[in-house]
Amino acid sequence: MGRSALFDHLDDLEPRAAEALASADVRRLRAGSSHRAAAFRDASFLIVEDGFVVTRSVLAGRRRLVTCHAGAAGLLAAPEDGEMVQALVEARVTLVTEAAYADLLADSAVATVLSDALRALLRQRRDSIANFGNARPVERVESKLLQLARDHGFVVPDGVRLDVPLTHELLADMIGCARETVSRAIDRLESAGVIVRDGRSYRLQVNPETI
């Protein structure tokens, strides 16, 4: 492949890092497709080149929670046993092995970008875990929408538009609530003027600087 959405803003890469990207395994994931951990067995992490991808837990007898998510130029940890990767829309991901990771770190500029992306992934997981502490479902939903807006939203004149293909079921899996509970919370947030819904897209009527 030679280049990656994560490093598009960088000038020429060091030869070792460029070769690692050029030889990396790039997968196209169909919209709605799900892939078990075995499909990414050799990967240390995934770079999402385009699309939107989530990781779900699939342990028998447990609720299928979304444990992390990433859009274009984002990172996902490689799924472990009991997890699967799902493409919400048509997506393309680069599999980065441990050996390729070491080669990428040889380029200081690339290493800085990777460090920032990995810290963003850790922050996302920290915020997601903290959100489970909100007792009221409406607060969980609002907090998750704000998190998604911060990570994937676009600033518009009346707030932040979130074009992630969200369904009430997906939101429920992100915050650990029933779909019906999420639907009621969305209705309350709309009535309060916090969000405006347009199909699967949402606009959060907030000051972008606050998120």
Side-chain angles (χ1 to χ4, degrees), residues 10 12 17 29 35 44-45 54 66 69 72 83 89 95 97 101 114 128-130 138 147 167 172 176 196 199 201-202:
L10 298 180
D12 291 340
L29 310 180
H35 309 267
S44 176
F45 59 87
V54 301
V66 170
H69 47 78
E83 293 182 324
V89 297
L95 281 61
T97 64
Y101 182 37
L114 282 173
S128 296
I129 291 171
V138 67
Q147 180 190 8
T167 63
V196 175
S201 296
Y202 292 86

Side-chain angles (χ1 to χ4, degrees), residues 161-176:
R161 190 181 74 246
L162 184 57
D163 287 338
V164 175
L166 288 175
T167 63
H168 290 190
E169 182 179 4
L170 178 61
L171 273 173
D173 290 347
M174 285 181 168
I175 66 172

Side-chain angles (χ1 to χ4, degrees), residues 2 13-22 100 103-107 110:
L13 305 182
E14 294 289 339
R16 186 175 169 185
E19 176 58 29
L21 287 176
D103 289 337
L104 291 173
L105 292 179
D107 186 318
V110 168

Side-chain angles (χ1 to χ4, degrees), residues 8-102:
D8 266 352
H9 62 289
L10 298 180
D11 295 328
D12 291 340
L13 305 182
E14 294 289 339
R16 186 175 169 185
E19 176 58 29
L21 287 176
S23 59
D25 183 5
V26 181
R27 306 269 181 89
R28 291 190 178 276
L29 310 180
R30 298 191 316 274
S33 63
S34 297
H35 309 267
R36 299 270 180 170
F40 307 98
R41 186 66 67 191
D42 296 330
S44 176
F45 59 87
L46 314 178
I47 301 174
V48 180
E49 304 297 346
D50 48 56
F52 195 87
V53 181
V54 301
T55 302
R56 289 180 181 270
S57 62
V58 292
L59 294 176
R62 298 187 183 182
R63 184 180 186 87
R64 294 196 172 192
L65 294 176
V66 170
T67 55
C68 58
H69 47 78
L75 292 188
L76 277 182
E80 301 178 354
D81 292 338
E83 293 182 324
M84 65 180 180
V85 169
Q86 182 180 27
L88 300 187
V89 297
E90 197 79 14
R92 189 165 51 93
V93 299
T94 297
L95 281 61
V96 179
T97 64
E98 285 292 336
Y101 182 37

